[in-house]
Amino acid sequence: MKRLIATLASLLSISAAVAQDIAPDALVRSVSSDVLEIVHKDKDIQSGNIAKAVELAEAKVLPHFDFAHMTRLAVGKDWRKASPEQQKALVDEFRTLLVRTYSKAFIEYRNQTIEYKPLKMQPTETDVWVRTLVNQTTGKPVQIDYNLEKTDQGWKVYDISVAGVSLVTNYRSSFAQEVSLGGVDGLVASLRAKNKAGAASVAAGKK
Amino acid sequence: MRGRLFVFGRHVLAPLLAVAAIVSSGGCATSGARDARDPAEGFNRAVFAFNEGLDAAVLRPVAVGYDAVLPTPVRSGVSNVYDNLADLFIAANNLLQGKPADAVNDAARFVFNSTFGILGIFDVATEMGLEKHEEDFGQTFGRWGVGPGPYLMLPLLGPRDARDAAGLVLDSLVDPVGNVGHVPTRNTLSAVRLVNTRATLLPADKIIEAAALDKYSYLRDAYLQRRRSLVFDGRPPREPDEE
């Protein structure tokens, strides 16, 4: 019995180590190709079912995102002003906002193909950009880049840049404005209101 | 986005830019936190509201119709023709930016797409591995070390920083569509380009609506980030004040 447990334990640690050892570019590639395959097959997502797209994002994509880091980056200087409770509220609300935005993007750009740029990376690096080019059926290809950081739980995405625009730092000045008008609580309240409106539009079945 | 700028040609452009320059130098009082990059925020917000109204009333409905009526290969062919015309202009800007290899790439794109691609309808150059670039005079100035200057929201033309507004004047002077001598042809070509560009941006509407707390500042910040990224050819260093 002891041996069995020991074997199981070592197997578990091996599989955990394997998960951590996936290179950042391989991680981005496998997650995006999984997601694209599902989006291509799923009739509900094809016809604009945002709740289904959110479900897909939650299951496949979000485990690889570091939302606390994203929120810190978006809030910038004001992050240190926030109490631990406020910080938690900010992360929760910002997560909801990003997930809904990301899921809409799935639906709007469902017919795309992705080209992966080769990653030149030193073994000691802990912060890398994985660069991709998304080809649309019409119009110019869009550059989408993922900024990943090496953590104890493997590589985590903490910024996404679409056509050179960071989805995270793009909030910085509007967040700063909210904080200067209503404090950190004011920012949390605005995010909550935005998410409430967004959830209502999902419930109403709007695309 | 660039398609939008040429539409009204150089005749309308000069007075518009002059108005924008006067207003921005005068500055406008705004409430709340002020953004140093956007000194004329009050004026810019008013112009933005006007542009949004015009888009909702005219341009967007036309683009939706265009998108619904024409099949994807046709829309893609239209985009390719305009993109092909732009490649020579892009080659010239790459040369001015000291990137001769990219300039040769762009010129080769134009040659292959104009011939094997049947006047640019098919983008065979990309299939051949010749990458499409995006350059204009605003980026060239940025490459030469000119800072972006204040942010402006131009009536009809949309967001520009001062550097790009100056670049825009030069862009429109050498724009092949704007230089077509036959006025009805030029206007038709310009209008189709505008509608086609707007149609390619339709999916972005819904995403911005989902993402933005305040659409004006979200688009402003996205525009400024995008232009900065383009000046660095898609690899901008992180802003120093981040984190």
Side-chain angles (χ1 to χ4, degrees), chain A residues 69 73 97 101 105 108-109 131 137-138 140 143 147 159 163-166 169-175 180 194, chain B residues 33 72 76 83 203 206-207 209-213 217-218 220-222 225-226 229 234-235 238 241-243:
Chain A
H69 193 165
L73 199 57
L97 179 63
T101 306
E108 295 302 324
Y109 294 108
R131 299 180 189 278
T137 43
T138 60
K140 298 188 187 82
Q143 182 189 340
N147 201 177
D159 196 0
V165 179
S166 157
T169 61
N170 207 50
Y171 284 102
R172 185 164 290 181
S173 73
S174 46
F175 281 12
S180 80
K194 174 81 190 165
Chain B
T72 306
S76 154
D83 287 349
K206 285 175 191 161
I207 296 168
E209 191 191 309
L213 290 181
S217 59
Y218 194 84
R220 175 192 64 206
D221 297 346
Q225 273 203 68
R226 164 85 180 142
S229 163
R235 313 252 168 143
R238 278 244 179 238
D241 68 320
E242 286 178 23
E243 269 194 298

Side-chain angles (χ1 to χ4, degrees), chain B:
Chain B
M1 278 311 247
R2 234 197 41 232
R4 195 181 284 191
L5 22 145
F6 300 122
V7 172
F8 297 91
R10 54 185 118 140
H11 315 292
V12 180
L13 225 128
L16 283 181
L17 289 179
V19 168
I22 291 161
V23 174
S24 72
S25 62
C28 277
T30 45
S31 59
R34 289 190 58 157
D35 193 314
R37 303 164 305 171
D38 189 3
E41 186 173 338
F43 166 78
N44 284 341
R45 277 189 187 268
V47 176
F48 179 66
F50 168 76
N51 286 353
E52 286 279 287
L54 198 66
D55 180 66
V58 183
L59 187 52
R60 192 172 190 282
V62 175
V64 169
Y66 173 89
D67 190 65
V69 169
L70 291 182
T72 306
V74 175
R75 278 181 285 127
S76 154
V78 171
S79 291
N80 287 342
V81 168
Y82 287 106
D83 287 349
N84 184 48
L85 287 175
D87 272 339
L88 273 186
F89 162 81
I90 291 168
N93 273 291
N94 264 326
L95 212 54
L96 289 171
Q97 293 176 26
K99 295 183 285 186
D102 284 355
V104 169
N105 172 93
D106 302 330
R109 280 183 57 85
F110 179 77
V111 170
F112 287 121
N113 282 341
S114 302
T115 52
F116 300 118
I118 315 175
L119 301 176
I121 295 171
F122 301 100
D123 180 7
V124 291
T126 297
E127 312 283 323
M128 294 163 67
L130 295 168
E131 202 181 327
K132 171 86 183 164
H133 298 131
E134 189 172 344
E135 303 292 348
D136 50 54
F137 281 109
Q139 289 178 57
T140 300
F141 293 154
R143 198 80 179 184
W144 291 350
V146 179
Y151 177 77
L152 307 168
M153 180 60 73
L154 304 182
L156 311 174
L157 301 168
R160 291 289 172 282
D161 56 42
R163 175 180 70 201
D164 293 335
L168 176 61
V169 177
L170 289 178
D171 291 345
S172 65
L173 286 178
V174 298
D175 173 34
V177 173
N179 283 300
V180 171
H182 188 240
V183 174
T185 311
R186 179 172 71 215
N187 290 345
T188 308
L189 287 174
S190 297
V192 172
R193 175 162 65 183
L194 175 68
V195 171
N196 183 65
T197 304
R198 183 65 186 87
T200 61
L201 294 171
L202 288 172
D205 287 355
K206 285 175 191 161
I207 296 168
I208 290 165
E209 191 191 309
L213 290 181
D214 168 25
K215 193 171 177 186
Y216 171 83
S217 59
Y218 194 84
L219 286 176
R220 175 192 64 206
D221 297 346
Y223 170 81
L224 294 173
Q225 273 203 68
R226 164 85 180 142
R227 294 300 299 179
R228 182 169 180 273
S229 163
L230 282 173
V231 167
F232 288 99
D233 286 337
R235 313 252 168 143
R238 278 244 179 238
E239 300 260 20
D241 68 320
E242 286 178 23
E243 269 194 298

